[in-house]
C-alpha cells in the first residue's frame, strides 16, 4: 500500500539522544537536526503518513519571517534570528510520498541540487532553510 505525507510535524528536544524514531533524514548521512551547528534546540521534522491520497500534502515550501507566525513551529527554535517555517499545501494533483533533507557545505545551482537529490529518488526542494544564518545550506526535499 502506498503511503502519502499527511503532515510534517516540527519536534524539539534539549538533547540529541531524544531524536524521534521517524524523522526526515539527511540523504548523505549528515545530521537531521535542522539547527545543527546553529545553537538552540534540537529540531527535527517528523512525517505523519496516510493511505488516503486525497488527504495528502501536495506541496511543501519554506518561509522566513522577522516575526513569529501564529500556529506554526519555528525551525530555528532557540537559535535567535529570523523565524523559519515549513508550509504544507493540500488538494493538488500530486501527493508527496517521500520526504528528506539535503545538507551541503557549498552553494549549488538548481541543476546541481536536482542532480544530487535525484540520485536518491527525490524530485523537488525548498529554498535554503539556513539562508542568512551562515554555514551549510539545508533543503527540505520530497518526491511524488
Amino acid at each position: 500500500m502506498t503511503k502519502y505525507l499527511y503532515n510534517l510535524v516540527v519536534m524539539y528536544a534539549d538533547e540529541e539522544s531524544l531524536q524521534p524514531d521517524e524523522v526526515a533524514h539527511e540523504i548523505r548521512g549528515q545530521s537531521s537536526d535542522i539547527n545543527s551547528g546553529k545553537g538552540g534546540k534540537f529540531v527535527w521534522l517528523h512525517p505523519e503518513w496516510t493511505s488516503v491520497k486525497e488527504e495528502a500534502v501536495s506541496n511543501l515550501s519554506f518561509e522566513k519571517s522577522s516575526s513569529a507566525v501564529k500556529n506554526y513551529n519555528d525551525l530555528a527554535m532557540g537559535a535567535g534570528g529570523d523565524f523559519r517555517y515549513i508550509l504544507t499545501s493540500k488538494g493538488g494533483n500530486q501527493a508527496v510520498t517521500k520526504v528528506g533533507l539535503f545538507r551541503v557545505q557549498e552553494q549549488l545551482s538548481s541543476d546541481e541540487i536536482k542532480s544530487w537529490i535525484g540520485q536518491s529518488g527525490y524530485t523537488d526542494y525548498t529554498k535554503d532553510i539556513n539562508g542568512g544564518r551562515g554555514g551549510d545550506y539545508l533543503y527540505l526535499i520530497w518526491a511524488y
Side-chain angles (χ1 to χ4, degrees):
M1 170 176 23
T2 302
K3 65 180 183 176
Y4 304 100
L5 184 66
Y6 178 76
N7 194 17
L8 200 54
V9 180
V10 178
M11 302 189 82
Y12 305 113
D14 291 322
E15 297 176 25
E16 190 172 22
S17 63
L18 298 175
Q19 176 180 318
D21 290 336
E22 185 176 8
V23 298
H25 287 285
E26 200 287 324
I27 62 171
R28 298 187 316 146
Q30 297 185 53
S31 178
S32 297
D33 169 24
I34 302 296
N35 266 347
S36 180
K38 309 295 182 211
K41 298 273 188 187
F42 290 91
V43 180
W44 299 280
L45 298 173
H46 169 71
E48 294 179 338
W49 303 99
T50 180
S51 60
V52 181
K53 187 175 183 179
E54 293 74 24
E55 296 177 351
V57 170
S58 56
N59 193 45
L60 297 158
S61 62
F62 166 74
E63 295 297 328
K64 182 170 68 169
S65 174
S66 59
S67 59
V69 177
K70 188 177 181 178
N71 299 323
Y72 286 91
N73 293 323
D74 182 19
L75 298 175
M77 176 65 78
D82 289 326
F83 296 85
R84 295 159 191 277
Y85 304 100
I86 295 297
L87 308 177
T88 60
S89 302
K90 294 187 178 187
N93 293 332
Q94 298 177 317
V96 174
T97 58
K98 186 176 181 179
V99 66
L101 295 169
F102 177 54
R103 185 184 301 272
V104 291
Q105 308 311 312
E106 66 282 346
Q107 186 172 11
L108 300 176
S109 70
S110 177
D111 287 342
E112 289 172 318
I113 294 170
K114 287 180 181 180
S115 175
W116 271 103
I117 68 174
Q119 293 172 33
S120 296
Y122 292 91
T123 56
D124 293 273
Y125 63 96
T126 62
K127 296 183 286 189
D128 175 22
I129 293 170
N130 283 339
R133 297 210 290 179
D136 55 8
Y137 298 81
L138 179 64
Y139 307 91
L140 176 64
I141 58 177
W142 65 95
Y144 297 105

